[in-house]
Amino acid sequence: MDTIFLMNSLWVMVGAVLVILMIGGFILLETGSTRMKNAGHIAGKTILTFGISSIVFWAIGFGFIFGDGAGLSKFIGLSDFFYSGYDLDGVGLSGAVFFLFQTAFAGISITIAFGGFAERAKMGVYVLFAVLFSALVYPPIAHWIWGGGWLADHGKQDFAGSTVVHLTGAMAALAATIHLKPRIGKFNKDGSANNLYGHNQVYTALSVLLLWVGWFGFNAGSTVAVDAGFFGFVAVNTNLAAAAGTIAAMIISWIVMGKADVSMMLNGALAGLVAITASCAFVEAWASVVIGFVAGILVFYSIRFFEARKIDDPIYALSVHGAAGIWGTLSTGFFATKELATVGKAGLFYGGGFSQLGVQALGVVVCGAFAFLVSYILLLGMKKVMRGLRVTEEEEIMGLDMSEHGAYGYPELLKNETTDKSIM
């Protein structure tokens, strides 16, 4: 076997494993950022939905993205369904490894989308929407940019998915938050917001570290090759952006709120990672610091923006993955260099004019609108068929662990609390 083929396959396999481990990071992130009474539900449904998305991606998602669409090839693929392990032309590595790597990306996108459903959606809604999103929302956008579709023809730059994975997931989360309405107790009658604190900030911090490490698979793994060790440069850019996002969010929260807010620091790190995902292979190291730093500030004000509009986003998916995803996508239009822009053109600051920036803006508008509108329509239909997307008020107060599964994620602790209250 060709040595480079083997090394490429091994490297991307490592990347796929790191990305799948990010599902664990999202379990800790969502669990730690929400209340204890929903912990078991969140952990279980996240694993379940990754399983659903994997099956749907195997059956039709991969074909929609990378298949031959004949006369519709600019918009959708229509072959290679039910992938059976064969090698693919032109990828330079095992076809099965490439398939698994792409499966992991699809799973991350639906996990992001479900951030907008947290603490109030019915279990059945997760199951059905995971199928529909994995079949009808994610694949068309991935095809347009990564599968040789019409945005690829325009030179759209999105190396590892600021648009394809993160913005797509965030727009589905926005559609969900609009349909589901805020959680009980989130907003007062005068419009002011209450903090429904997550139950474990340590979980949240550990999740960010796990995601940070997993992102090396996400971004550096997207080189899908070991040639010249370029994945190392991508990994350095990824790390710098995350670090800058953390510091920027800490600084802005300290200045505005008078305290160095821990939650904001963690969201700043994630925002930096999301933002550099599009541009990690196209920009110089100093630019990755700027991109991450701007993302850290942006996420702080974006969270306030959505809260002021009474949009209840429990784990800040709209800000971390949506706002930072938009910024990251646009950033290549500013910072992509002539030498590194293997896709599209150089950015505004490197003599490329406004051409690439325009393409990036087009991608944001079209992909964001498509993901939001299709998700909104799907959820509207589900709302009618399933007689509502949300659990009853009684079930929400009780917590989804008991109402949807009949068992607490922390049975000993919560049973003791219930017993103590009954004695009092």
Side-chain angles (χ1 to χ4, degrees), residues 187-204:
F187 295 106
N188 301 310
K189 289 183 179 178
D190 63 1
S192 59
N194 297 311
N195 282 321
L196 301 181
Y197 291 106
H199 81 278
N200 195 323
Q201 205 165 58
V202 177
Y203 277 11
T204 311

Side-chain angles (χ1 to χ4, degrees), residues 372-392:
F372 174 77
L373 288 174
V374 175
S375 298
Y376 188 91
I377 292 168
L378 291 173
L379 288 166
L380 185 63
M382 289 171 57
K383 199 174 185 178
K384 293 181 178 178
V385 172
M386 302 176 76
R387 299 181 180 179
L389 303 173
R390 186 166 175 160
V391 297
T392 66

Side-chain angles (χ1 to χ4, degrees), residues 230 233-241 276 279-292 331-332 334-341 346-347 349-351:
F230 184 64
F233 176 75
V234 173
V236 167
N237 278 354
T238 301
N239 195 59
L240 288 173
I276 199 63
S279 56
C280 50
F282 305 133
V283 302
E284 295 182 283
W286 71 267
S288 67
V289 175
V290 175
I291 291 167
S331 70
T332 69
F334 292 107
F335 299 105
T337 74
K338 289 180 181 177
E339 294 75 18
L340 294 171
F349 299 150
Y350 286 85

